[in-house]
Amino acid sequence: MSATHSSRRNFLKLSTLTTGGFILGFNAFGATQKTPAIIGGTSSGEMASFNSYLAIAADGTVTIYSPNPELGQNIKTSFPMIVAEELDADWTKVKVVQAALDTNKFDRQLTGGSGAVPHSWMRLRNAGATAKAMLVTVAAKRWNVDPSTLAAANGFVINSATGNKLSYGELASEASQVPVPKDVKLKDRKDFKIIGTAVRNVENKNILTGKPLFGLDYYREGMLHAMIQRPPAFGTKIKSVDTTAAKGMPGIVDIVTFKNNVAVVGKSTWEIMKARKAVKIEYEKDGNIESTADHDKIFADLLDNGKAEVRRKDGDADAALKNAAKIVKSEFQCPFLAHSPMEPMNFFAHVKSDGTVELAGPSQTPARAREAVSKLLNIPEDKITLELTRLGGGFGRRLKFDYVTEAAELSSLIKAPVKVMWTKEDDMQGGSYRPAVRYRFEAGLDSEGNLIAYKLRGVGINAGNCTREDNFPSGAVDNLLIDSVEYVSPITTGAWRAPITNFLAFAEQSFIDEVAMAAGKDAVQFRLDLLAKAKQKPVGAIKYNIDRMETVIKKAAQQSGWGTKKDIAQGFSVYFSHASYVAQVCEAAMQNGKPVVKKIYAVADCGQVINSSGSEQQVMGAITDGYGHAMFGKLSFKDGATEQKNYNNYRLIRMKEIPEIETYFIDNGIDPTGLGEPALPPTGGAVANAIFKVTGKRLRKQPFIEEEIFKA
């Protein structure tokens, strides 16, 4: 296990790709092709269609074309680090370039589910190792020695017997003529020099100096700007539109009504913002118009009487509960949340008269967005190009593509290139939200405090399956029943960072603490005992790794001094999501009559850490996100409209409220398993359990800030 702490890192000095050299293609996402092949540069022969490209220039620059969208999860740094490690490249000459959407070359060209690095890990390593083998082959031929006698380091092939060395740039062109080896030897992990170290994000300099990286920065000569007025309340539609005043305002080119939208098109952002306010729109009812108060009643009814779909059933939980010596019951509820990325939705579209379409902007699912535009406009996908910009945040909102299709549709109507921009109020009022959910738990204990029955029912608003039925403690309880009820609402919902588990983990881990307390057992030991039972006598399928979960639990307890501190209250939580495991201990104390979170310890098992600084920031960011939203986050509805419109009344965590966070990583020698989301789910439970320890008050609803204990 290693501890990681923040540190300053030098900016990369990125080199430009010059003439000469060769390009090595490799499959970064496909399931079949494993062997790289020369596809360009000075190579002759047929070009192979692979999914991503490693380039070595005559000046030694190494470039990787990264197909996945970058929204802050660090893949544009991690990808080249992996290639450079196996290549033994000079890191100061490594750079990465964002690739445009190309479904002929790329598979899984999306960002979501913490899966980019795990999916590409071995393919990226093979690409770097293959290129190195080809360079070594050329050097061996020049020196007339066996390739096995040579070494590679820092962008050079080295003859240790003579001290001679040749740079990769010197060898690049000739290496393009070498047959591509089918099998290459990968490094032993103990020999890694780049992987596992702290490396600055390759985009830092561009971000800090204001280079045009994001969708809102995108500009095309002659393009128009547009903002769209969407219905202010779910369950309503346009009745009438009066554009008389707005059309006469300076800079306004057109005002278009399509579907349930009114688009104001003009020459500048400020002009269309002013004109949009002058458009008079009257709305009428179109389906259910709901309020948060309605949802509270709906939850209560569906928990009692809803038609539930059984997700997992082991033994007979109802019978076991009837015979239990002690029964514990609890309910937990979470509100809707906005994704609230710093950069609001935006996209550029140009539907041309020749039947082609240009798209550009921030998307987590560019292939799906292009497919949707193709169906909408009845234009073949091969006639549509999509250029990816960096995303100014996403958190799942940009998995959807409604803002892409509306830009394309508007361009087709006005017959001009246009960039559609949302305001923050647009995002809050017409976005896609984390589903509101309520959970009901029941547990039965025998006379010795052993867990013999466990029931969970979830009710979600447009949530689909709002449980994770195969997660812990499934497999450790003889009698278990997990089911869910779905309620369909006109309010649009979607994936929000660590979908479903972002709240479910809080509910599960808080309830397990309640059960442990009722059993008279230590919260950490209670979980370890359940895992031991699952290992020795599993009940049904075990779909989590018991050893990995045990390890993070024990390390978190050890690093935090669990149970040994007298002047601080500690709360524990552990969770498995997105193939990784994170355990957390939260420390809280009373301050000025209110509970205050002082520190959070986190131990993560995400397999091999690629970038130690990037990994630390992912964990710290996820904890801050999880804590901030559990404490403050809430989006409510009145008559179909959001009551929160912007940051003035949509509460986010503030800098001064972020507690100290200490992160640790388990070094277990396995391949990467993802890190963008796994540290968020356990945070709410650790915080709630610590606050209970210091106040005696169980927190069962989010946001916590609405509880009386925080209003003293």
Side-chain angles (χ1 to χ4, degrees):
M1 182 182 67
S2 60
T4 310
H5 302 281
S6 297
S7 62
R8 292 185 176 274
R9 301 172 298 278
N10 293 326
F11 280 121
L12 293 178
K13 297 179 180 178
L14 300 179
S15 301
T16 58
L17 183 63
T18 58
T19 57
F22 69 92
I23 297 177
L24 183 69
F26 62 93
N27 185 320
F29 302 95
T32 56
Q33 181 63 43
K34 297 287 182 71
T35 304
I38 300 168
I39 68 168
T42 58
S43 172
S44 61
E46 185 178 355
M47 292 177 64
S49 178
F50 292 128
N51 294 351
S52 201
Y53 313 100
L54 164 65
I56 301 178
D59 67 351
T61 299
V62 178
T63 301
I64 181 173
Y65 294 86
S66 180
N68 287 41
E70 173 63 88
L71 57 96
Q73 77 281 38
N74 208 42
I75 59 171
K76 282 189 73 175
T77 302
S78 298
F79 273 24
M81 286 179 68
I82 298 168
V83 176
E85 180 65 73
E86 292 292 347
L87 184 61
D88 278 307
D90 177 354
W91 179 248
T92 64
K93 290 191 173 184
V94 174
K95 69 175 182 177
V96 63
V97 174
Q98 178 69 59
L101 175 65
D102 190 335
T103 52
N104 292 321
K105 293 179 180 178
F106 306 116
D107 178 37
R108 199 191 176 276
Q109 196 173 1
L110 60 87
T111 295
S114 302
V117 171
H119 194 280
S120 305
W121 166 248
M122 290 305 296
R123 293 169 176 83
L124 294 165
R125 293 185 69 187
N126 273 310
T130 300
K132 180 173 68 177
M134 295 165 73
L135 292 161
V136 169
T137 296
V138 170
K141 184 178 179 181
R142 287 192 185 183
W143 289 327
N144 195 26
V145 297
D146 191 302
S148 64
T149 65
L150 303 181
N154 204 34
F156 289 90
V157 178
I158 302 167
N159 187 332
S160 56
T162 64
N164 292 332
K165 63 181 182 178
L166 291 167
S167 73
Y168 286 177
E170 293 175 88
L171 298 167
S173 292
E174 191 175 346
S176 67
Q177 307 299 320
V178 174
V180 178
K182 293 183 178 180
D183 297 305
V184 292
K185 183 179 179 181
L186 300 180
K187 281 187 175 182
D188 191 294
R189 292 178 66 252
K190 65 179 176 58
D191 297 322
F192 285 167
K193 296 181 176 64
I194 297 175
I195 291 175
T197 64
V199 174
R200 279 193 181 276
N201 189 304
V202 296
E203 296 275 43
N204 274 1
K205 185 175 182 179
N206 290 332
I207 292 171
L208 293 173
T209 56
K211 293 295 189 297
L213 300 172
F214 301 93
L216 283 177
D217 299 324
Y218 191 85
Y219 177 79
R220 178 68 62 81
E221 188 70 33
M223 76 177 188
L224 297 172
H225 301 263
M227 285 187 174
I228 296 176
Q229 182 60 53
R230 302 164 192 86
F234 291 93
T236 61
K237 65 180 180 179
I238 294 174
K239 182 178 180 180
S240 64
V241 180
D242 181 357
T243 62
T244 306
K247 279 187 173 180
M249 296 179 71
I252 300 306
V253 175
D254 201 355
I255 299 179
V256 181
T257 299
F258 64 105
K259 293 181 178 175
N260 214 18
N261 303 319
V262 178
V264 179
V265 184
K267 297 179 180 179
S268 72
T269 304
W270 181 242
E271 288 171 329
I272 60 176
M273 287 180 70
K274 290 193 296 183
R276 187 171 70 155
K277 293 178 181 179
V279 177
K280 298 177 181 179
I281 308 175
E282 185 180 358
Y283 294 91
E284 61 185 354
K285 185 177 179 181
D286 182 31
N288 291 338
I289 297 178
E290 300 177 355
S291 299
T292 297
D294 301 324
H295 296 150
D296 290 341
K297 296 174 184 177
I298 290 167
F299 281 141
D301 179 61
L302 291 179
L303 280 174
D304 290 331
N305 307 307
K307 184 179 179 181
E309 182 176 348
V310 174
R311 303 294 179 175
R312 178 162 176 160
K313 187 177 188 296
D314 298 324
D316 190 335
D318 289 324
L321 283 166
K322 289 180 182 178
N323 297 316
K326 186 178 291 186
I327 294 176
V328 183
K329 296 182 179 181
S330 287
E331 290 189 14
F332 299 83
Q333 185 169 326
C334 72
F336 290 99
L337 288 179
H339 292 81
S340 192
M342 186 62 70
E343 177 193 30
M345 301 305 105
N346 66 89
F347 226 79
F348 167 85
H350 187 190
V351 180
K352 300 180 179 179
S353 58
D354 63 1
T356 62
V357 181
E358 289 184 45
L359 302 172
S363 172
Q364 290 180 244
T365 54
R368 295 176 193 169
R370 185 176 68 176
E371 180 184 11
V373 170
S374 172
K375 291 179 179 178
L376 174 71
L377 302 179
N378 196 27
I379 294 175
E381 286 191 54
D382 61 6
K383 300 293 185 182
I384 304 172
T385 62
L386 195 153
E387 180 182 346
L388 285 168
T389 63
R390 187 180 178 90
L391 286 68
F395 311 109
R397 175 61 180 95
R398 287 184 165 102
L399 290 170
K400 293 199 169 187
F401 40 77
D402 51 312
Y403 58 100
V404 182
T405 55
E406 69 180 13
E409 185 168 8
L410 179 58
S411 177
S412 72
L413 293 171
I414 64 175
K415 302 186 185 309
V418 63
K419 182 165 75 173
V420 173
M421 297 167 289
W422 294 40
T423 64
K424 183 56 63 180
E425 289 83 0
D426 292 336
D427 267 353
M428 290 280 189
Q429 294 174 262
S432 175
Y433 312 106
R434 181 188 77 173
V437 180
R438 183 182 289 180
Y439 294 108
R440 174 179 290 170
F441 292 86
E442 293 182 70
L445 298 167
D446 65 16
S447 58
E448 296 180 353
N450 298 310
L451 182 61
I452 60 171
Y454 182 91
K455 287 181 66 175
L456 163 61
R457 172 168 292 181
V459 177
I461 298 177
N462 295 341
N465 176 16
C466 59
T467 72
R468 291 294 180 265
E469 62 273 11
D470 293 321
N471 278 7
F472 178 79
S474 295
V477 187
D478 292 332
N479 304 286
L480 176 142
L481 176 63
I482 298 177
D483 58 28
S484 66
V485 182
E486 172 80 341
Y487 174 72
V488 178
S489 165
I491 298 172
T492 55
T493 63
W496 190 93
R497 190 175 186 178
I500 301 300
T501 60
N502 55 61
F503 178 78
L504 175 61
F506 151 69
E508 287 178 342
Q509 290 296 303
S510 295
F511 183 66
I512 287 175
D513 255 43
E514 286 190 65
V515 177
M517 185 176 180
K521 297 181 179 180
D522 174 76
V524 170
Q525 192 59 49
F526 187 71
R527 290 168 171 83
L528 290 173
D529 290 345
L530 285 172
L531 288 170
K533 181 180 178 182
K535 180 183 288 188
Q536 295 161 9
K537 192 179 178 182
V539 182
I542 302 289
K543 296 189 178 181
Y544 50 90
N545 187 298
I546 295 172
D547 291 335
R548 292 178 71 188
M549 185 171 278
E550 281 184 338
T551 299
V552 295
I553 289 174
K554 291 177 180 178
K555 290 298 183 183
Q558 175 189 340
Q559 295 304 134
S560 65
W562 175 261
T564 64
K565 298 180 179 179
K566 296 182 179 180
D567 299 326
I568 201 84
Q570 293 182 314
F572 187 83
S573 180
V574 62
Y575 216 72
F576 158 63
S577 64
H578 300 281
S580 294
Y581 299 77
V582 180
Q584 295 180 19
V585 174
C586 174
E587 295 184 340
M590 295 300 293
Q591 186 172 307
N592 299 322
K594 299 178 184 179
V596 176
V597 172
K598 295 290 189 179
K599 186 172 184 177
I600 296 176
Y601 297 85
V603 176
D605 175 359
C606 58
Q608 173 66 56
V609 168
I610 307 303
N611 184 342
S612 62
S613 60
S615 297
E616 182 191 21
Q617 296 305 318
Q618 286 294 299
V619 172
M620 294 176 71
I623 289 173
T624 301
D625 201 4
Y627 171 52
H629 280 91
M631 182 64 73
F632 307 112
K634 179 182 180 181
L635 194 79
S636 57
F637 289 84
K638 184 175 182 180
D639 298 328
T642 60
E643 294 186 288
Q644 296 76 26
K645 311 297 183 186
N646 207 322
Y647 293 133
N648 61 311
N649 60 354
Y650 184 75
R651 180 77 155 82
L652 294 176
I653 192 169
R654 295 170 180 141
M655 291 286 286
K656 64 181 181 180
E657 293 165 334
I658 300 174
E660 180 183 355
I661 300 172
E662 191 166 306
T663 61
Y664 297 85
F665 293 89
I666 301 297
D667 184 5
N668 55 13
I670 68 173
D671 291 348
T673 57
L675 193 56
E677 292 157 294
L680 187 151
T683 304
V687 170
N689 291 333
I691 289 173
F692 169 75
K693 289 279 190 69
V694 78
T695 65
K697 169 69 175 178
R698 288 286 181 192
L699 301 177
R700 296 192 175 94
K701 291 185 70 174
Q702 293 183 1
F704 299 157
I705 197 67
E706 294 185 349
E707 297 285 347
E708 287 298 321
I709 56 174
F710 293 102
K711 299 176 182 178

